Amino acid sequence: MQKVNQTDTLEKFRLDKWLFAARFFKTRSLAAEAIERGRIHLNGARVKPAKTLAVGDMLIIQIGNYKYEIKVLALSNKRGSAVIAQQLYSETEASLQQREIIAERLKVQPSPFYVRGRPTKRDRRKIMRLKDHL
């Protein structure tokens, strides 16, 4: 198992690069877009993608229905394995419990029949019958 290094303090750790390295987003541009849209808050405030990150900062990350409240434990600009990425942060207990509750609710909720892709002829007839009754 590889250990996360704390590099020299001259290197800046951008928020968007850190989110990419911590594997919250698949690309850095997706991370930057989420920050621009206000889905990422650093210490309770909206920030820009180039904001410098420090150890001990608190992040609130909104991804879809899920909300992560995390504390930055280490800094990295380089994307590594999932094991290394998990060493970069720790999630609060309240955040973990909220995500579990949301996951359970989403499992119970039935998925719409049209999510499978393009509706079939039979599905279109059902939709038309539904629209006629409304």
Side-chain angles (χ1 to χ4, degrees):
M1 185 164 88
Q2 198 176 19
K3 183 91 172 151
V4 176
N5 294 351
Q6 281 287 28
T7 58
D8 58 330
T9 57
L10 298 175
E11 187 176 2
K12 291 186 179 180
F13 295 94
R14 290 174 52 121
L15 180 58
D16 59 345
K17 285 185 180 182
W18 187 88
L19 288 168
F20 171 65
R23 294 182 166 263
F24 282 102
F25 296 96
K26 289 186 178 184
T27 64
R28 186 176 141 213
S29 60
L30 287 175
E33 183 180 335
I35 296 167
E36 288 289 332
R37 291 184 178 201
R39 295 190 177 122
I40 311 295
H41 288 82
L42 176 64
N43 297 326
R46 275 184 80 164
V47 291
K48 293 186 176 182
K51 179 72 175 169
T52 305
L53 199 61
V55 173
D57 284 342
M58 291 297 293
L59 287 171
I60 297 174
I61 304 167
Q62 180 79 35
I63 302 175
N65 295 327
Y66 298 102
K67 191 176 197 178
Y68 299 85
E69 292 178 19
I70 62 167
K71 182 176 182 178
V72 177
L73 298 179
L75 301 172
S76 176
N77 284 334
K78 188 176 178 186
R79 189 172 172 102
S81 68
V83 175
I84 294 172
Q86 289 173 349
Q87 295 174 0
L88 297 177
Y89 63 90
S90 68
E91 189 171 3
T92 63
E93 285 296 320
S95 174
L96 280 170
Q97 291 173 354
Q98 285 296 325
R99 286 193 309 112
E100 287 174 2
I101 291 169
I102 291 170
E104 288 175 19
R105 287 182 186 165
L106 290 174
K107 281 182 186 177
V108 174
Q109 187 178 18
S111 63
F113 66 91
Y114 56 84
V115 173
R116 294 185 300 255
R118 184 175 173 182
T120 63
K121 190 172 188 177
R122 182 179 180 192
D123 292 338
R124 285 195 309 273
R125 288 180 182 154
K126 286 181 183 178
I127 292 169
M128 293 305 291
R129 272 190 240 124
L130 186 80
K131 284 183 178 179
D132 289 340
H133 285 97
L134 295 176

